[in-house]
Amino acid sequence: MDTAAQRYADRLYGRRKLLNGVALAMSCVAAAFGLLFLAWILWTLVSRGIQGINWSLFTQITPPPMEEGGLMNAFKGSLLMCAMGVLIGTPLGIAAGTWLAEYGNARKLGTVVRFVNDILLSAPSIVLGLFVYTLVVMQLAGGDFSALAGAIALAFIVLPVVVRTTDEMLRLVPAQMREAALSLGVPQWKVIVQVLYRSASAGIVTGILLALARISGETAPLLFTAFGNLYDSNNILKPMASVPVVMYQFAGSPYDNWRTLAWAGALVLTLFVLVVSLGARTLLLRKRISHD
């Protein structure tokens, strides 16, 4: 009896070991498959984009066909609209996330707000751009495209990311810290500003940086709002160039100089996103190490 049970256990163990080996092998193959195509994409981006990296890329504006130029106006426009989008979306996101974490847990409205925020977080960016186009460009501006409308569209992308991050980070702060501060007679708003925000600051800043990395490559919202501009412009109430839109326009053109600029802009944009993402992860890692 014991021998039969032992043989059954051995067969069952052998079967599980075989299935585990097959699953592990398939996982490794899938990971290698994905990394191969990722390396291929990065190699193509670097090999083609490096040809257009020079000083004029950052000092000259977008050129006419078959002439030399750069992406200075597009870089400046992207930085300006991304900065305005973050400045608009971050305070609203932190305020909404704070309300959810500190006041909305015990209310049905908090559940509704979280649900709507999740929908906004997963909404396609082109839908947000179309919404801002209808509301701001067509209704408020009378059909005039502008960098301000582009920044508002980007703010709609920043907002749900900051709300989710702030909500999660504040809820991770131990309840004992709140209770200790409140027991000393500290007002609720001071507890939030001086205790909770300080404890969750690294996570909140990380969320803001990740939102910045996301909006820096958005094309569809800016096509409907900022539209684009081949010249250098500082007027936020007028159309303004941006790197994603210039890439979209130049990548499919028949002119070699425009395609080279599109690849160079893609490389610079990828490096910017990489630096911002690494900075966000480094900041969060340092915060974790300091707590440990």
Side-chain angles (χ1 to χ4, degrees), residues 56-282:
S56 62
L57 181 70
F58 305 96
T59 58
Q60 298 181 14
I61 65 173
T62 48
M66 309 303 294
E67 294 186 14
E68 296 297 325
L71 298 176
M72 184 268 292
N73 56 327
F75 287 133
K76 186 170 70 172
S78 287
L79 289 174
L80 181 60
M81 285 186 282
C82 286
M84 289 193 299
V86 170
L87 290 176
I88 295 172
T90 297
L92 296 175
I94 292 178
T98 302
W99 182 86
L100 286 174
E102 299 302 313
Y103 303 100
N105 284 327
R107 303 181 182 181
K108 292 183 179 180
L109 182 59
T111 303
V112 175
V113 172
R114 284 193 179 93
F115 177 73
V116 173
N117 186 74
D118 290 341
I119 294 177
L120 188 61
L121 187 63
S122 59
S125 59
I126 191 171
V127 175
L128 302 177
L130 188 60
F131 171 75
V132 176
Y133 169 78
T134 303
L135 181 64
V136 178
V137 176
M138 297 302 298
Q139 298 296 327
L140 299 180
D144 294 332
F145 298 97
S146 66
L148 180 60
I152 294 174
L154 296 180
F156 274 104
I157 302 175
V158 172
L159 180 61
V161 178
V162 178
V163 171
R164 168 68 70 84
T165 306
T166 304
D167 181 23
E168 295 293 337
M169 291 299 105
L170 290 179
R171 287 197 291 171
L172 288 176
V173 177
Q176 292 81 354
M177 297 183 66
R178 296 177 174 84
E179 295 170 357
L182 292 173
S183 66
L184 296 175
V186 180
Q188 178 71 24
W189 68 271
K190 280 192 176 182
V191 174
I192 295 173
V193 174
Q194 298 183 1
V195 177
L196 301 184
Y197 281 167
R198 288 185 179 181
S199 299
S201 58
I204 295 174
V205 173
T206 298
I208 297 172
L209 292 178
L210 292 177
L212 174 61
R214 179 181 174 184
I215 64 174
S216 61
E218 291 291 345
T219 305
L222 299 182
L223 282 173
F224 285 101
T225 52
F227 189 67
N229 192 344
L230 294 178
Y231 303 97
D232 187 19
S233 174
N234 296 318
N235 190 350
I236 63 173
L237 300 180
K238 295 295 182 180
M240 186 172 290
S242 61
V243 177
V245 173
V246 171
M247 287 167 48
Y248 170 77
Q249 295 172 340
F250 283 10
S253 70
Y255 307 108
D256 292 336
N257 65 322
W258 279 12
R259 290 197 299 268
T260 301
L261 288 176
W263 281 107
L267 179 58
V268 173
L269 188 60
T270 302
L271 292 176
F272 173 77
V273 173
L274 176 62
V275 170
V276 172
S277 300
L278 290 177
R281 292 182 179 274
T282 302

